[in-house]
Amino acid sequence: MICIYIILENANRELNSRILLILQLFKVLKNKRINVIIGEKNELRNKIINYPKGIIIEKGVTKGSISRVKKWKKAGHDIFMFDEESITYRDDKQYFATKFDKDLEKYTDCFFLTGERQKKTILRKRKNTKYLLTGNLRFELLKLEYRKFYEKIVDIYKKKHGDFILITSRFANLNYNDTKKVKQPSSKYGDYLKDSKIIFQEFKKIPYEFREKCNNKIIIRPHPSEDVTTWNKITKKIDNCEIIYEGDIVPWLLASKLVIFNRCTTGIEGYLLNKKTFSLDPIVEKDPLKKLYRSISKNFKTAKNLVNEIAENKRFLLNYKNLANDDLLRQYIFNTKKKESHKIIANFIKKRINKIKINKNKKFSLVTPVDLLKLFLGNLLSIKKGSRKYMKQKIGKFNYFSIKKSINEFKQIDVFNNVKDLKIKQIGKRIFLLSNLG
């Protein structure tokens, strides 16, 4: 039996794309006996060392990763690494200041790279890195063949909220949902923190500008690490504005009339879903990625000008066209068109699977209600209140039912309707084992 471990951080953002990969793995490995274990990053990382050896698919390459990677490699695991947040880093200096420990490539069997830009960044300093260009799994779900996956929830959002305008916030560095502060020293991030403060001051004006000029409902979606209460305070006097952080971003994008963002991947996702995308950036000339964001959106430097164009110039919206340079976009994200990330990864693993040596001595045990109670009480006593709030929001809805729901909805799509039913067993507080075994 082969074990494949998939490490997840934010279920709202990552779960559906990981289920897509899992179903593809069971499809291409239909004649193999495999277990796929998917779990929240902190818990699963700590427990992998006690589990049967297999293939680990890590979600990030942040500084400090190498200590656990060395332990995993010593235990006999094959290690593959994503960098989930590798699309919008400012430059090579920031990338290596915050990611990719020295010698990490020596203990990693393969890095799954998002695009040519990331590949060039890594190979400039780590020439012996073993890599595979895969793109980003999340971007598979933006393609036309998977839109039906979201049809029901999109209809619900439209009926509930009407023809709404979606504003996505990315200011966790200023509005952090935890008791500790985010440190972003200029030695690593340049002027990013200082620039974010300038942008945020203008960004907060958007809902107030809409209040007088637009009847559409405004929905603001904070970043997973942002404090929702801050936005509630900012908009408390605006009747047609609601702050919602709930579920996958894709159905919110699909249900919206248009999207407003600043320097984040949501704008790219909106563009790929053929939405009208607008960027507010008063200091856009300082943005190292300005060429990318200008290619996927209409940029404005003030909230007033942005809202005036949207609310008062009907011809402006009617004539709106996305004119992105697809070649430029593919430098950042390899799988925006025909390349299929989940198939690339699953086929790669299929070729590697026969080389994995099986350890039959270690087995999984089901989690009991007593175990869950102990975990709950342990977390309650050991984690500060502010951090508990942060972790709950950051992780999102990740349980047996959310996994089962995602699997069932994917299996309505023709390409997966022949995949056998999967058994789901809970083996940790936020760790689940999926198998097709009898």
Side-chain angles (χ1 to χ4, degrees), residues 198-226:
I198 295 169
I199 297 166
F200 191 40
Q201 288 304 312
E202 190 65 27
F203 207 81
K204 289 187 290 187
K205 298 176 185 177
I206 299 173
Y208 284 90
E209 292 291 339
F210 271 121
R211 179 174 59 175
E212 302 298 330
K213 300 172 183 176
C214 182
N215 293 323
N216 297 80
K217 183 174 183 176
I218 308 299
I219 292 179
I220 298 176
R221 181 184 172 97
H223 184 276
S225 299
E226 271 194 269

PDB file of all heavy atoms in Angstrom, residues 198-226:
ATOM      1  N   ILE A 198      -0.176  53.249   2.653  1.00  0.00           N
ATOM      2  CA  ILE A 198      -0.691  54.290   1.747  1.00  0.00           C
ATOM      3  C   ILE A 198      -1.888  53.762   0.956  1.00  0.00           C
ATOM      4  O   ILE A 198      -2.929  54.426   0.838  1.00  0.00           O
ATOM      5  CB  ILE A 198       0.423  54.760   0.785  1.00  0.00           C
ATOM      6  CG1 ILE A 198       1.548  55.447   1.575  1.00  0.00           C
ATOM      7  CG2 ILE A 198      -0.140  55.710  -0.283  1.00  0.00           C
ATOM      8  CD1 ILE A 198       2.798  55.714   0.752  1.00  0.00           C
ATOM      9  N   ILE A 199      -1.751  52.561   0.429  1.00  0.00           N
ATOM     10  CA  ILE A 199      -2.818  51.977  -0.386  1.00  0.00           C
ATOM     11  C   ILE A 199      -4.064  51.709   0.448  1.00  0.00           C
ATOM     12  O   ILE A 199      -5.192  51.992   0.028  1.00  0.00           O
ATOM     13  CB  ILE A 199      -2.326  50.672  -1.054  1.00  0.00           C
ATOM     14  CG1 ILE A 199      -1.168  50.968  -2.018  1.00  0.00           C
ATOM     15  CG2 ILE A 199      -3.470  49.985  -1.808  1.00  0.00           C
ATOM     16  CD1 ILE A 199      -0.407  49.729  -2.467  1.00  0.00           C
ATOM     17  N   PHE A 200      -3.870  51.176   1.655  1.00  0.00           N
ATOM     18  CA  PHE A 200      -5.006  50.826   2.513  1.00  0.00           C
ATOM     19  C   PHE A 200      -5.833  52.056   2.887  1.00  0.00           C
ATOM     20  O   PHE A 200      -7.071  51.985   2.944  1.00  0.00           O
ATOM     21  CB  PHE A 200      -4.501  50.114   3.773  1.00  0.00           C
ATOM     22  CG  PHE A 200      -5.589  49.480   4.599  1.00  0.00           C
ATOM     23  CD1 PHE A 200      -6.655  48.813   4.000  1.00  0.00           C
ATOM     24  CD2 PHE A 200      -5.541  49.521   5.985  1.00  0.00           C
ATOM     25  CE1 PHE A 200      -7.661  48.210   4.763  1.00  0.00           C
ATOM     26  CE2 PHE A 200      -6.531  48.923   6.761  1.00  0.00           C
ATOM     27  CZ  PHE A 200      -7.588  48.266   6.152  1.00  0.00           C
ATOM     28  N   GLN A 201      -5.167  53.169   3.103  1.00  0.00           N
ATOM     29  CA  GLN A 201      -5.898  54.399   3.440  1.00  0.00           C
ATOM     30  C   GLN A 201      -6.848  54.798   2.314  1.00  0.00           C
ATOM     31  O   GLN A 201      -7.964  55.264   2.558  1.00  0.00           O
ATOM     32  CB  GLN A 201      -4.909  55.538   3.727  1.00  0.00           C
ATOM     33  CG  GLN A 201      -4.164  55.404   5.045  1.00  0.00           C
ATOM     34  CD  GLN A 201      -5.110  55.279   6.236  1.00  0.00           C
ATOM     35  OE1 GLN A 201      -6.060  56.052   6.390  1.00  0.00           O
ATOM     36  NE2 GLN A 201      -4.864  54.292   7.084  1.00  0.00           N
ATOM     37  N   GLU A 202      -6.429  54.609   1.085  1.00  0.00           N
ATOM     38  CA  GLU A 202      -7.291  54.924  -0.063  1.00  0.00           C
ATOM     39  C   GLU A 202      -8.324  53.824  -0.289  1.00  0.00           C
ATOM     40  O   GLU A 202      -9.475  54.087  -0.627  1.00  0.00           O
ATOM     41  CB  GLU A 202      -6.436  55.116  -1.317  1.00  0.00           C
ATOM     42  CG  GLU A 202      -7.178  55.680  -2.521  1.00  0.00           C
ATOM     43  CD  GLU A 202      -7.683  57.105  -2.294  1.00  0.00           C
ATOM     44  OE1 GLU A 202      -7.065  57.842  -1.478  1.00  0.00           O
ATOM     45  OE2 GLU A 202      -8.700  57.475  -2.907  1.00  0.00           O
ATOM     46  N   PHE A 203      -7.916  52.580  -0.065  1.00  0.00           N
ATOM     47  CA  PHE A 203      -8.787  51.428  -0.302  1.00  0.00           C
ATOM     48  C   PHE A 203     -10.024  51.479   0.596  1.00  0.00           C
ATOM     49  O   PHE A 203     -11.130  51.109   0.180  1.00  0.00           O
ATOM     50  CB  PHE A 203      -7.995  50.137  -0.051  1.00  0.00           C
ATOM     51  CG  PHE A 203      -8.487  48.942  -0.816  1.00  0.00           C
ATOM     52  CD1 PHE A 203      -8.122  48.748  -2.145  1.00  0.00           C
ATOM     53  CD2 PHE A 203      -9.301  47.996  -0.219  1.00  0.00           C
ATOM     54  CE1 PHE A 203      -8.557  47.645  -2.857  1.00  0.00           C
ATOM     55  CE2 PHE A 203      -9.749  46.885  -0.920  1.00  0.00           C
ATOM     56  CZ  PHE A 203      -9.376  46.705  -2.243  1.00  0.00           C
ATOM     57  N   LYS A 204      -9.848  51.944   1.829  1.00  0.00           N
ATOM     58  CA  LYS A 204     -10.955  52.026   2.786  1.00  0.00           C
ATOM     59  C   LYS A 204     -12.043  53.005   2.356  1.00  0.00           C
ATOM     60  O   LYS A 204     -13.180  52.944   2.845  1.00  0.00           O
ATOM     61  CB  LYS A 204     -10.423  52.437   4.165  1.00  0.00           C
ATOM     62  CG  LYS A 204      -9.622  51.354   4.868  1.00  0.00           C
ATOM     63  CD  LYS A 204      -9.262  51.736   6.293  1.00  0.00           C
ATOM     64  CE  LYS A 204      -8.238  52.840   6.356  1.00  0.00           C
ATOM     65  NZ  LYS A 204      -7.776  53.081   7.743  1.00  0.00           N
ATOM     66  N   LYS A 205     -11.722  53.885   1.418  1.00  0.00           N
ATOM     67  CA  LYS A 205     -12.686  54.889   0.962  1.00  0.00           C
ATOM     68  C   LYS A 205     -13.679  54.330  -0.059  1.00  0.00           C
ATOM     69  O   LYS A 205     -14.726  54.943  -0.305  1.00  0.00           O
ATOM     70  CB  LYS A 205     -11.948  56.075   0.333  1.00  0.00           C
ATOM     71  CG  LYS A 205     -11.025  56.825   1.289  1.00  0.00           C
ATOM     72  CD  LYS A 205     -10.272  57.918   0.535  1.00  0.00           C
ATOM     73  CE  LYS A 205      -9.247  58.624   1.422  1.00  0.00           C
ATOM     74  NZ  LYS A 205      -8.490  59.637   0.649  1.00  0.00           N
ATOM     75  N   ILE A 206     -13.355  53.185  -0.652  1.00  0.00           N
ATOM     76  CA  ILE A 206     -14.179  52.662  -1.752  1.00  0.00           C
ATOM     77  C   ILE A 206     -15.640  52.481  -1.358  1.00  0.00           C
ATOM     78  O   ILE A 206     -16.544  52.982  -2.058  1.00  0.00           O
ATOM     79  CB  ILE A 206     -13.606  51.338  -2.310  1.00  0.00           C
ATOM     80  CG1 ILE A 206     -12.204  51.549  -2.871  1.00  0.00           C
ATOM     81  CG2 ILE A 206     -14.520  50.787  -3.415  1.00  0.00           C
ATOM     82  CD1 ILE A 206     -11.515  50.256  -3.289  1.00  0.00           C
ATOM     83  N   PRO A 207     -15.957  51.773  -0.266  1.00  0.00           N
ATOM     84  CA  PRO A 207     -17.387  51.584   0.059  1.00  0.00           C
ATOM     85  C   PRO A 207     -18.116  52.889   0.340  1.00  0.00           C
ATOM     86  O   PRO A 207     -19.316  53.014   0.043  1.00  0.00           O
ATOM     87  CB  PRO A 207     -17.350  50.682   1.302  1.00  0.00           C
ATOM     88  CG  PRO A 207     -15.971  50.778   1.845  1.00  0.00           C
ATOM     89  CD  PRO A 207     -15.084  51.043   0.680  1.00  0.00           C
ATOM     90  N   TYR A 208     -17.425  53.896   0.871  1.00  0.00           N
ATOM     91  CA  TYR A 208     -18.056  55.195   1.122  1.00  0.00           C
ATOM     92  C   TYR A 208     -18.366  55.915  -0.181  1.00  0.00           C
ATOM     93  O   TYR A 208     -19.390  56.589  -0.311  1.00  0.00           O
ATOM     94  CB  TYR A 208     -17.161  56.058   2.013  1.00  0.00           C
ATOM     95  CG  TYR A 208     -17.207  55.636   3.455  1.00  0.00           C
ATOM     96  CD1 TYR A 208     -16.318  54.699   3.947  1.00  0.00           C
ATOM     97  CD2 TYR A 208     -18.170  56.146   4.327  1.00  0.00           C
ATOM     98  CE1 TYR A 208     -16.363  54.284   5.273  1.00  0.00           C
ATOM     99  CE2 TYR A 208     -18.230  55.743   5.653  1.00  0.00           C
ATOM    100  CZ  TYR A 208     -17.329  54.805   6.117  1.00  0.00           C
ATOM    101  OH  TYR A 208     -17.384  54.391   7.426  1.00  0.00           O
ATOM    102  N   GLU A 209     -17.480  55.784  -1.158  1.00  0.00           N
ATOM    103  CA  GLU A 209     -17.732  56.381  -2.470  1.00  0.00           C
ATOM    104  C   GLU A 209     -18.929  55.732  -3.145  1.00  0.00           C
ATOM    105  O   GLU A 209     -19.746  56.393  -3.781  1.00  0.00           O
ATOM    106  CB  GLU A 209     -16.488  56.267  -3.356  1.00  0.00           C
ATOM    107  CG  GLU A 209     -15.301  57.108  -2.908  1.00  0.00           C
ATOM    108  CD  GLU A 209     -15.547  58.599  -3.082  1.00  0.00           C
ATOM    109  OE1 GLU A 209     -16.427  58.989  -3.891  1.00  0.00           O
ATOM    110  OE2 GLU A 209     -14.861  59.394  -2.401  1.00  0.00           O
ATOM    111  N   PHE A 210     -19.073  54.419  -2.986  1.00  0.00           N
ATOM    112  CA  PHE A 210     -20.195  53.703  -3.589  1.00  0.00           C
ATOM    113  C   PHE A 210     -21.514  54.039  -2.910  1.00  0.00           C
ATOM    114  O   PHE A 210     -22.575  53.968  -3.538  1.00  0.00           O
ATOM    115  CB  PHE A 210     -19.958  52.187  -3.518  1.00  0.00           C
ATOM    116  CG  PHE A 210     -19.210  51.623  -4.687  1.00  0.00           C
ATOM    117  CD1 PHE A 210     -17.998  50.960  -4.513  1.00  0.00           C
ATOM    118  CD2 PHE A 210     -19.723  51.731  -5.970  1.00  0.00           C
ATOM    119  CE1 PHE A 210     -17.311  50.435  -5.590  1.00  0.00           C
ATOM    120  CE2 PHE A 210     -19.040  51.204  -7.063  1.00  0.00           C
ATOM    121  CZ  PHE A 210     -17.828  50.555  -6.871  1.00  0.00           C
ATOM    122  N   ARG A 211     -21.478  54.369  -1.635  1.00  0.00           N
ATOM    123  CA  ARG A 211     -22.701  54.572  -0.855  1.00  0.00           C
ATOM    124  C   ARG A 211     -23.643  55.581  -1.510  1.00  0.00           C
ATOM    125  O   ARG A 211     -24.858  55.386  -1.538  1.00  0.00           O
ATOM    126  CB  ARG A 211     -22.329  55.041   0.556  1.00  0.00           C
ATOM    127  CG  ARG A 211     -23.537  55.311   1.445  1.00  0.00           C
ATOM    128  CD  ARG A 211     -23.117  55.634   2.866  1.00  0.00           C
ATOM    129  NE  ARG A 211     -22.255  56.800   2.937  1.00  0.00           N
ATOM    130  CZ  ARG A 211     -21.829  57.341   4.086  1.00  0.00           C
ATOM    131  NH1 ARG A 211     -22.182  56.802   5.242  1.00  0.00           N
ATOM    132  NH2 ARG A 211     -21.051  58.401   4.070  1.00  0.00           N
ATOM    133  N   GLU A 212     -23.091  56.645  -2.048  1.00  0.00           N
ATOM    134  CA  GLU A 212     -23.912  57.716  -2.613  1.00  0.00           C
ATOM    135  C   GLU A 212     -24.185  57.545  -4.102  1.00  0.00           C
ATOM    136  O   GLU A 212     -25.051  58.211  -4.655  1.00  0.00           O
ATOM    137  CB  GLU A 212     -23.219  59.066  -2.385  1.00  0.00           C
ATOM    138  CG  GLU A 212     -22.932  59.390  -0.913  1.00  0.00           C
ATOM    139  CD  GLU A 212     -24.203  59.490  -0.093  1.00  0.00           C
ATOM    140  OE1 GLU A 212     -25.240  59.876  -0.655  1.00  0.00           O
ATOM    141  OE2 GLU A 212     -24.166  59.169   1.110  1.00  0.00           O
ATOM    142  N   LYS A 213     -23.448  56.664  -4.756  1.00  0.00           N
ATOM    143  CA  LYS A 213     -23.493  56.647  -6.220  1.00  0.00           C
ATOM    144  C   LYS A 213     -23.946  55.329  -6.830  1.00  0.00           C
ATOM    145  O   LYS A 213     -24.021  55.216  -8.058  1.00  0.00           O
ATOM    146  CB  LYS A 213     -22.100  56.992  -6.765  1.00  0.00           C
ATOM    147  CG  LYS A 213     -21.607  58.369  -6.320  1.00  0.00           C
ATOM    148  CD  LYS A 213     -20.162  58.586  -6.722  1.00  0.00           C
ATOM    149  CE  LYS A 213     -19.650  59.939  -6.206  1.00  0.00           C
ATOM    150  NZ  LYS A 213     -18.229  60.136  -6.487  1.00  0.00           N
ATOM    151  N   CYS A 214     -24.234  54.349  -5.997  1.00  0.00           N
ATOM    152  CA  CYS A 214     -24.523  53.034  -6.565  1.00  0.00           C
ATOM    153  C   CYS A 214     -25.533  52.296  -5.693  1.00  0.00           C
ATOM    154  O   CYS A 214     -25.414  52.302  -4.464  1.00  0.00           O
ATOM    155  CB  CYS A 214     -23.221  52.233  -6.670  1.00  0.00           C
ATOM    156  SG  CYS A 214     -23.402  50.622  -7.414  1.00  0.00           S
ATOM    157  N   ASN A 215     -26.504  51.631  -6.314  1.00  0.00           N
ATOM    158  CA  ASN A 215     -27.501  50.872  -5.567  1.00  0.00           C
ATOM    159  C   ASN A 215     -27.102  49.417  -5.362  1.00  0.00           C
ATOM    160  O   ASN A 215     -27.757  48.694  -4.608  1.00  0.00           O
ATOM    161  CB  ASN A 215     -28.851  50.917  -6.294  1.00  0.00           C
ATOM    162  CG  ASN A 215     -29.442  52.321  -6.291  1.00  0.00           C
ATOM    163  OD1 ASN A 215     -29.306  53.057  -5.312  1.00  0.00           O
ATOM    164  ND2 ASN A 215     -30.085  52.692  -7.386  1.00  0.00           N
ATOM    165  N   ASN A 216     -26.047  49.006  -6.033  1.00  0.00           N
ATOM    166  CA  ASN A 216     -25.609  47.618  -5.903  1.00  0.00           C
ATOM    167  C   ASN A 216     -25.080  47.352  -4.496  1.00  0.00           C
ATOM    168  O   ASN A 216     -24.434  48.200  -3.884  1.00  0.00           O
ATOM    169  CB  ASN A 216     -24.496  47.304  -6.904  1.00  0.00           C
ATOM    170  CG  ASN A 216     -24.942  47.439  -8.332  1.00  0.00           C
ATOM    171  OD1 ASN A 216     -25.000  48.548  -8.858  1.00  0.00           O
ATOM    172  ND2 ASN A 216     -25.272  46.323  -8.972  1.00  0.00           N
ATOM    173  N   LYS A 217     -25.340  46.160  -4.021  1.00  0.00           N
ATOM    174  CA  LYS A 217     -24.776  45.756  -2.741  1.00  0.00           C
ATOM    175  C   LYS A 217     -23.255  45.628  -2.876  1.00  0.00           C
ATOM    176  O   LYS A 217     -22.740  45.199  -3.919  1.00  0.00           O
ATOM    177  CB  LYS A 217     -25.374  44.417  -2.298  1.00  0.00           C
ATOM    178  CG  LYS A 217     -24.893  43.958  -0.924  1.00  0.00           C
ATOM    179  CD  LYS A 217     -25.641  42.699  -0.483  1.00  0.00           C
ATOM    180  CE  LYS A 217     -25.213  42.283   0.914  1.00  0.00           C
ATOM    181  NZ  LYS A 217     -25.989  41.112   1.390  1.00  0.00           N
ATOM    182  N   ILE A 218     -22.539  45.993  -1.824  1.00  0.00           N
ATOM    183  CA  ILE A 218     -21.083  45.861  -1.785  1.00  0.00           C
ATOM    184  C   ILE A 218     -20.734  44.735  -0.824  1.00  0.00           C
ATOM    185  O   ILE A 218     -21.169  44.732   0.330  1.00  0.00           O
ATOM    186  CB  ILE A 218     -20.407  47.167  -1.301  1.00  0.00           C
ATOM    187  CG1 ILE A 218     -20.893  48.371  -2.113  1.00  0.00           C
ATOM    188  CG2 ILE A 218     -18.890  47.023  -1.349  1.00  0.00           C
ATOM    189  CD1 ILE A 218     -20.592  48.300  -3.581  1.00  0.00           C
ATOM    190  N   ILE A 219     -19.960  43.778  -1.292  1.00  0.00           N
ATOM    191  CA  ILE A 219     -19.450  42.724  -0.409  1.00  0.00           C
ATOM    192  C   ILE A 219     -17.934  42.841  -0.360  1.00  0.00           C
ATOM    193  O   ILE A 219     -17.263  42.839  -1.396  1.00  0.00           O
ATOM    194  CB  ILE A 219     -19.868  41.323  -0.901  1.00  0.00           C
ATOM    195  CG1 ILE A 219     -21.380  41.156  -0.745  1.00  0.00           C
ATOM    196  CG2 ILE A 219     -19.127  40.228  -0.123  1.00  0.00           C
ATOM    197  CD1 ILE A 219     -21.913  39.817  -1.230  1.00  0.00           C
ATOM    198  N   ILE A 220     -17.412  42.949   0.845  1.00  0.00           N
ATOM    199  CA  ILE A 220     -15.963  43.007   1.046  1.00  0.00           C
ATOM    200  C   ILE A 220     -15.515  41.667   1.609  1.00  0.00           C
ATOM    201  O   ILE A 220     -16.021  41.205   2.638  1.00  0.00           O
ATOM    202  CB  ILE A 220     -15.565  44.144   2.000  1.00  0.00           C
ATOM    203  CG1 ILE A 220     -15.959  45.501   1.403  1.00  0.00           C
ATOM    204  CG2 ILE A 220     -14.060  44.104   2.285  1.00  0.00           C
ATOM    205  CD1 ILE A 220     -15.695  46.690   2.312  1.00  0.00           C
ATOM    206  N   ARG A 221     -14.580  41.029   0.930  1.00  0.00           N
ATOM    207  CA  ARG A 221     -14.022  39.751   1.394  1.00  0.00           C
ATOM    208  C   ARG A 221     -12.605  39.995   1.911  1.00  0.00           C
ATOM    209  O   ARG A 221     -11.694  40.268   1.125  1.00  0.00           O
ATOM    210  CB  ARG A 221     -13.997  38.724   0.275  1.00  0.00           C
ATOM    211  CG  ARG A 221     -13.433  37.352   0.720  1.00  0.00           C
ATOM    212  CD  ARG A 221     -13.338  36.416  -0.449  1.00  0.00           C
ATOM    213  NE  ARG A 221     -12.649  35.181  -0.132  1.00  0.00           N
ATOM    214  CZ  ARG A 221     -13.248  34.037   0.194  1.00  0.00           C
ATOM    215  NH1 ARG A 221     -14.563  33.986   0.270  1.00  0.00           N
ATOM    216  NH2 ARG A 221     -12.538  32.949   0.441  1.00  0.00           N
ATOM    217  N   PRO A 222     -12.409  39.897   3.224  1.00  0.00           N
ATOM    218  CA  PRO A 222     -11.060  40.095   3.773  1.00  0.00           C
ATOM    219  C   PRO A 222     -10.127  38.939   3.403  1.00  0.00           C
ATOM    220  O   PRO A 222     -10.574  37.846   3.038  1.00  0.00           O
ATOM    221  CB  PRO A 222     -11.298  40.130   5.294  1.00  0.00           C
ATOM    222  CG  PRO A 222     -12.768  40.323   5.464  1.00  0.00           C
ATOM    223  CD  PRO A 222     -13.405  39.696   4.265  1.00  0.00           C
ATOM    224  N   HIS A 223      -8.853  39.183   3.542  1.00  0.00           N
ATOM    225  CA  HIS A 223      -7.836  38.141   3.403  1.00  0.00           C
ATOM    226  C   HIS A 223      -8.047  37.109   4.517  1.00  0.00           C
ATOM    227  O   HIS A 223      -8.536  37.450   5.598  1.00  0.00           O
ATOM    228  CB  HIS A 223      -6.448  38.790   3.519  1.00  0.00           C
ATOM    229  CG  HIS A 223      -5.316  37.839   3.306  1.00  0.00           C
ATOM    230  ND1 HIS A 223      -4.818  37.050   4.320  1.00  0.00           N
ATOM    231  CD2 HIS A 223      -4.567  37.565   2.210  1.00  0.00           C
ATOM    232  CE1 HIS A 223      -3.817  36.325   3.863  1.00  0.00           C
ATOM    233  NE2 HIS A 223      -3.653  36.602   2.585  1.00  0.00           N
ATOM    234  N   PRO A 224      -7.681  35.824   4.299  1.00  0.00           N
ATOM    235  CA  PRO A 224      -7.857  34.815   5.343  1.00  0.00           C
ATOM    236  C   PRO A 224      -7.207  35.160   6.689  1.00  0.00           C
ATOM    237  O   PRO A 224      -7.664  34.703   7.730  1.00  0.00           O
ATOM    238  CB  PRO A 224      -7.196  33.565   4.741  1.00  0.00           C
ATOM    239  CG  PRO A 224      -7.275  33.763   3.276  1.00  0.00           C
ATOM    240  CD  PRO A 224      -7.175  35.236   3.046  1.00  0.00           C
ATOM    241  N   SER A 225      -6.154  35.985   6.647  1.00  0.00           N
ATOM    242  CA  SER A 225      -5.458  36.345   7.885  1.00  0.00           C
ATOM    243  C   SER A 225      -5.856  37.718   8.417  1.00  0.00           C
ATOM    244  O   SER A 225      -5.256  38.213   9.369  1.00  0.00           O
ATOM    245  CB  SER A 225      -3.934  36.314   7.669  1.00  0.00           C
ATOM    246  OG  SER A 225      -3.509  35.024   7.308  1.00  0.00           O
ATOM    247  N   GLU A 226      -6.851  38.348   7.801  1.00  0.00           N
ATOM    248  CA  GLU A 226      -7.279  39.677   8.248  1.00  0.00           C
ATOM    249  C   GLU A 226      -8.311  39.605   9.365  1.00  0.00           C
ATOM    250  O   GLU A 226      -9.084  38.649   9.464  1.00  0.00           O
ATOM    251  CB  GLU A 226      -7.886  40.463   7.071  1.00  0.00           C
ATOM    252  CG  GLU A 226      -6.886  41.269   6.277  1.00  0.00           C
ATOM    253  CD  GLU A 226      -7.564  42.258   5.361  1.00  0.00           C
ATOM    254  OE1 GLU A 226      -7.845  41.897   4.200  1.00  0.00           O
ATOM    255  OE2 GLU A 226      -7.805  43.400   5.797  1.00  0.00           O
TER     256      GLU A 226
END
